[in-house]
Amino acid sequence: MEAFVVRGGRRLRGSVRINGAKNSSLILMAAALLTDEPVTLRGVPRLRDTNNMTALLETLGRGFAVQDNAEQAMTARTDDPSRCTAHYDIVRTMRASICVLGPLLAKRGEARVSMPGGCNIGDRPVDLHLHGLRALGARIDLEEGYIVARTDRLRGTRVFLGGPFGSTVLGTANVMSAATLAAGTTVIESAACEPEIEDLAALLTSMGARITGAGSPRITVEGVDELTGADHQVMPDRIEAGTFMLAAAITNGEVTIENCPVDALTATLDRLSAVGVEVESDPAASPQDRMRQTVRVASHRRLEPVQVVTQPHPGFPTDLQAQLMALLCLADGNSIITEKIFPDRFLHVAELSRMGADLTRNGPSVLVSGVKKLIGAPVMASDLRASAGLVLAGLAAQGTTLINRVYHLDRGYESMEVTLRGLGADIERVSVPT
Ligand code: EPU
């Protein structure tokens, strides 16, 4: 098994270019099932999750082939439109497999998708996905662990997609994608407002779909009879950008971040500013597009404690909660982090405590009492973002941190250790016995 060895204490300096967004790429790739014409996606990051999605789509007769390595461009082509089963073996490796459900159903009239189980960050039900697709007229049964959905043609409708924890990102992607080929108009209320949903709507629109309101809680989709091929550039990864901002901050470093989607990071920038981290856009380098700015992140002074609540977009993202917690461990006072999306997403708390952090969990909240220093220790990565939080803690800690099970990190960060080394970090990937 692979692990990272991090020798902490180096200030990060230099520049990093943000890749295409993992969570956008996954729903865009699934949406390519909605047509049999070629769909090209540019800027798809090379990650375990995108590899798994490629493998899944191949089993569905809609393989993606590399078009241009430098541009990370891939094109989907159909070689067998009769395949409708997303098998357990692949779905269990990646919950995002559920987002083939809506596109398969709408295009091929049938979808059999293995029911995803829980995962390290919580139960993660899919009831809202099924509720939305049933509202569009799908007949859905659970058969031997598989969601089996069928339709002759979906029908447009008005559907409310809010749940106990707010909107659902992949649920909105599923229902919006399926509605593009429904007969009539669909209105999704309490839709997820995440920028990845806007990116998906942009791809679908260039495929001929008629969508308004993406990025707001009410999305309207006028169904069309068929969609065409398209060529689309994936948005930059806001979570990767936020993670490198926090890496700069925790090491008192100074890092320039290119291709940075500042427009999608307002809550993160607000909290960073409250902590005392400087983030400045360079208007000369990127005058127009607020999704592709060049920013300079610097932290030279003491860190102020803050209160943070994770919320659906545009609130503070749950996918940066662990990384922010690592930073606040070193703040000058008491911070409170409340997790409103996945209330049990705190597996990193015990590991950070092993590094000397002073953390008290109370239900969905953690009191983070700032300490003067973190101390390197062997720790166990338990999910993707928790692992990123531990890497950040290791970068700032005194001594050596061994982060086990980095395969979690490889799901969402492209060669993270190489990027960090480029910024001056002392980090290497090693093999350790299981
Ligand atoms: N929920 C339900 N019922 C459903 C679906 C969701 O109750 O049918 C609940 C969830 O349990 C959770 C909340 O609604 O409490 C929000 O979950 P959501 O459905 O929005 O999460 P997701 O779509 O499965 C995506 C990202 C996650 C990210 C969340 C929240 C992808 C592939 N995954 O998951 O990303 O944390 O939105 O922003 O886009 C990650 O990248 O590390 C990651 C976990």
Side-chain angles (χ1 to χ4, degrees), residues 8-91:
R10 298 237 186 140
R11 289 183 156 191
L12 297 191
R13 287 183 195 284
S15 68
V16 55
R17 186 171 177 82
I18 299 305
N19 290 294
K22 166 183 87 87
N23 288 348
S24 208
S25 299
L26 295 174
I27 51 179
L28 298 172
M29 291 171 79
L33 285 165
L34 287 162
T35 178
D36 286 327
E37 294 185 17
V39 170
T40 298
L41 299 176
R42 295 175 194 279
V44 178
R46 297 181 196 93
L47 302 169
R48 255 185 63 208
D49 273 10
T50 50
N51 288 342
N52 282 336
M53 183 57 88
T54 307
L56 171 58
L57 291 172
E58 223 161 79
T59 68
L60 293 169
R62 181 88 174 138
F64 266 94
V66 173
Q67 180 87 6
D68 179 330
N69 250 323
E71 277 194 56
Q72 300 191 323
M74 312 194 324
T75 301
R77 291 201 168 76
T78 300
D79 42 59
D80 186 352
S82 67
R83 300 205 207 148
C84 295
T85 304
H87 292 280
Y88 172 71
D89 281 355
I90 295 190
V91 175

Side-chain angles (χ1 to χ4, degrees), residues 22-24 26-27 49 94-96 98-99 119 121-130 163-172 192 194 196 238-239 311-313 317-319 340-343 345 383-385 411-412:
K22 166 183 87 87
N23 288 348
S24 208
L26 295 174
I27 51 179
D49 273 10
M94 183 183 59
R95 284 190 48 88
I98 189 71
C99 55
C119 73
I121 66 176
D123 289 344
R124 305 192 72 184
V126 292
D127 54 315
L128 298 170
H129 300 235
L130 305 190
F165 299 97
S167 52
T168 163
V169 180
L170 295 182
T172 301
E194 269 66 7
E196 292 77 13
R238 63 194 167 104
I239 304 303
Q311 282 169 328
H313 192 77
T318 173
D319 291 343
K340 287 258 174 114
I341 308 291
F342 296 112
R345 196 179 198 174
D383 82 74
L384 165 58
R385 309 303 174 183
R411 285 188 39 220

Side-chain angles (χ1 to χ4, degrees), residues 93-140:
T93 63
M94 183 183 59
R95 284 190 48 88
S97 306
I98 189 71
C99 55
V100 301
L101 180 63
L104 264 186
L105 174 69
K107 175 67 179 155
R108 300 186 182 175
E110 182 175 343
R112 298 173 62 85
V113 179
S114 175
M115 185 83 168
C119 73
N120 285 340
I121 66 176
D123 289 344
R124 305 192 72 184
V126 292
D127 54 315
L128 298 170
H129 300 235
L130 305 190
H131 165 67
L133 295 174
R134 280 198 175 107
L136 288 170
R139 301 182 298 281
I140 302 184

